[in-house]
Amino acid sequence: MTSHTARAAIILAAGQGTRMKSPLPKVLHPVGGRAMLDHAIDAAEALGCERIVVVVGNHSPEVREHVVKRLGEGAIAVQDPPLGTGHAVRAAETAMAGFEGQVVITYGDVPLLKARDIEAAFSSGEGITVVGFEARDPTGYGRLLLDADGGLEAIVEHKEATPDQIKVSLCNSGVMAGPARLLFELLAEVRNDNAKGEYYLTDVVGLARARGAPTRTVMASEDAVMGVNAQAELAQAEALFQKVQRETLMAAGVTMPAPDTVHLSWDTEIGGGATVEPYVVFGPGAKIASGARIRSFSHIEGATVAAGAEVGPYARLRPGADLAEGVKVGNFVEVKNVAMKAGSKANHLAYLGDGEVGAKANIGAGTIFCNYDGFFKHRTVVGEGAFVGSNSSLVAPVTIGAGAMVGSGSVIVRDVAPGDLALARGQQEAKTGWATRFMDRMRAKKALKAK
Ligand code: UD1
Ligand code: MG
């Protein structure tokens, strides 16, 4: 029908996920740094679903908590024990009470399915629509049986299929849409007298047909509907996800000479004209502006990098690292929760945590912002144009004034006024000729021993 019809989604996530062999519930495993269940919820939201219900089991309170945190208590339906996909959808009936529009059923372990793959299923109006796909290997899937006109006649599960039906490669993705009222009416008729002794959601197709309601299929790609049941499949989903993300970025003008070595997150933003060298990992929350350069082996998470800035090789940007135009962060430099203003530099071996580095300031090799006293975190502020000599410890809270200098090797515990030089290190002593005398004596000793 049209976009005026109200939409809702029921996301099934009550399975145990035992084949993952992980203490983390299956649907909370991440793809692109985001829980698979969140990808499913994202798709439902992108479709404009005004109500989203997630069917959870009692075995995983973490899943429940996760859903409540994002969508509230109203989004929870409990299925216990799990008696099949049809039974799972029925478990959502109370949470769906009063909803009169179109509902789509999706799965918490199908992370690559996007709103655009489901959209066509929603436009069906009266009857039941099933999202189908051509399977390379249909083993295990329900087969979609079409009538002479190409209409969907029934879905038969692999275990119940006749030898002829087994040969069908058009399979059920599991995603189904239809009017909520019709769907629940049909589900009430579903029985469990089948190979698995379960209430099959798929039986609603045959039941709809029997009462003359239209049933049809819309197609999606096999990749889009892939379900994750084991770790190897999770890795496969991740690989597909990464491929799409990289291609999207390259299409937008990002230069990536070795895309297969770049790992992205679901929300990684990189402007066209930026360069990402080989072997870079982006955790969630990275925003890289057009014209920035991210050099090899850098790890970036929750950080912002402006145009003309250069990061790495071997740099680590942690949450709150905010690099302005032309900033340089070089090898073995870690930056966390620090705003580095335009043109400032930390080129080698440093930890900058909690604070601010003024425009054009230079942070020498080996500089540490000592931000933690074992109980609290404190800020270090380095003023505009200041110069911090190598191997200095700035013990926070502390401020280095604009245009000030810190002598190499200093431990700075008090503020340095603008324009001052601060020296806080041992005094150098010169012992005239001492080294020559010492070495001569030692050489003589060694010569004696060798005889
Ligand atoms: C189901 C379909 C099959 C389809 C396949 C696609 C049925 C009867 N069969 O089979 O036609 O080709 O998916 O992958 O629907 N779940 C619950 N509660 C339950 C049972 C399942 O929440 O009681 C959830 C699972 O967590 C999972 C999803 O529903 O996310 C699918 O269940 P699964 O047991 O994997 O169904 P399949 O046998 O694979
Ligand atoms: Mg399955």
Side-chain angles (χ1 to χ4, degrees):
M1 223 186 298
T2 65
S3 54
H4 305 299
T5 312
R7 292 176 169 186
I10 298 172
I11 301 173
L12 304 191
Q16 294 258 21
T18 42
R19 275 179 288 161
M20 293 297 281
K21 298 188 181 160
S22 163
L24 184 68
K26 174 165 79 174
V27 295
L28 298 187
H29 281 73
V31 168
R34 186 164 179 77
M36 289 196 279
L37 181 55
D38 282 317
H39 286 290
I41 297 173
D42 290 346
E45 285 185 347
L47 283 163
C49 292
E50 62 182 51
R51 204 179 299 192
I52 298 171
V53 175
V54 182
V55 181
V56 304
N58 271 330
H59 48 79
S60 44
E62 301 99 314
V63 176
R64 188 200 178 95
E65 265 168 54
H66 192 92
V67 173
V68 169
K69 215 169 147 195
R70 177 160 176 190
L71 299 171
E73 281 285 346
I76 296 283
V78 177
Q79 185 203 22
D80 188 34
L83 301 176
T85 48
H87 180 257
V89 176
R90 281 196 87 179
E93 193 163 0
T94 312
M96 290 292 296
F99 177 80
E100 286 297 336
Q102 295 274 323
V103 61
V104 66
I105 294 143
T106 65
Y107 298 85
D109 56 1
V110 180
L112 305 181
L113 193 70
K114 290 274 193 333
R116 62 169 176 273
D117 302 311
I118 308 169
E119 184 64 47
F122 260 127
S123 54
S124 71
E126 298 305 302
I128 300 290
T129 303
V130 170
V131 177
F133 68 101
E134 278 296 331
R136 288 178 284 261
D137 174 10
T139 310
Y141 289 115
R143 308 298 205 280
L144 302 185
L145 308 180
L146 306 183
D147 61 22
D149 304 325
L152 180 60
E153 203 154 35
I155 304 179
V156 56
E157 289 304 296
H158 184 96
K159 283 197 170 160
E160 269 101 7
T162 65
D164 271 353
Q165 291 168 342
I166 290 255
K167 290 185 202 137
V168 173
S169 58
L170 178 59
C171 290
N172 174 26
S173 70
V175 177
M176 183 186 285
R181 188 191 289 246
L182 172 66
L183 195 76
F184 286 117
E185 268 176 37
L186 296 171
L187 277 171
E189 296 174 28
V190 170
R191 300 159 52 102
N192 66 348
D193 49 354
N194 50 45
K196 285 190 175 174
E198 288 185 358
Y199 296 91
Y200 291 167
L201 171 62
T202 45
D203 283 355
V204 305
V205 171
L207 292 167
R209 273 261 160 157
R211 59 157 84 185
T215 52
R216 59 171 201 140
T217 301
V218 298
M219 296 297 286
S221 78
E222 181 164 16
D223 287 350
V225 301
M226 90 162 276
V228 170
N229 298 298
Q231 298 289 347
E233 287 164 4
L234 181 66
Q236 209 182 322
E238 182 73 54
L240 288 167
F241 179 87
Q242 291 293 331
K243 190 168 179 286
V244 171
Q245 292 288 96
R246 291 175 196 128
E247 280 167 4
T248 307
L249 289 174
M250 287 188 284
V254 176
T255 301
M256 241 187 254
D260 290 354
T261 67
V262 175
H263 194 88
L264 301 155
S265 280
W266 65 284
D267 62 348
T268 305
E269 287 176 29
I270 307 180
T275 295
V276 180
E277 292 186 358
Y279 299 101
V280 173
V281 174
F282 293 94
K287 288 193 176 71
I288 314 299
S290 167
R293 185 176 194 90
I294 311 298
R295 308 203 53 197
S296 294
F297 304 106
S298 295
H299 191 284
I300 298 178
E301 185 177 359
T304 306
V305 178
E310 193 171 314
V311 175
Y314 297 99
R316 180 171 184 206
L317 302 185
R318 292 172 53 202
D322 183 2
L323 278 48
E325 290 210 4
V327 164
K328 279 191 156 184
V329 168
N331 37 233
F332 307 107
V333 173
E334 174 180 346
V335 182
K336 183 213 70 170
N337 192 25
V338 169
M340 294 186 71
K341 303 288 171 63
S344 59
K345 288 179 188 159
N347 274 333
H348 338 261
L349 300 157
Y351 172 59
L352 314 182
D354 300 313
E356 181 179 315
V357 176
K360 298 216 159 108
N362 187 86
I363 307 292
T367 298
I368 306 290
F369 285 12
C370 308
N371 61 329
Y372 186 49
D373 59 17
F375 297 91
F376 299 103
K377 300 277 172 70
H378 304 281
R379 285 172 59 81
T380 299
V381 177
V382 175
E384 187 172 337
F387 181 95
V388 178
S390 294
N391 213 33
S392 294
S393 300
L394 309 182
V395 182
V398 73
T399 297
I400 312 298
M405 296 181 83
V406 170
S408 178
S410 290
V411 177
I412 300 295
V413 296
R414 286 192 304 275
D415 289 356
V416 178
D420 277 9
L421 166 68
L423 284 175
R425 62 190 187 204
Q427 288 294 308
Q428 187 168 334
E429 221 180 302
K431 302 197 174 182
T432 311
W434 190 96
T436 309
R437 291 196 296 278
F438 174 77
M439 286 186 206
D440 287 348
R441 200 165 69 238
M442 295 311 269
R443 274 188 207 106
K445 217 175 189 172
K446 207 167 176 182
L448 251 167
K449 257 197 165 168
K451 275 186 184 162

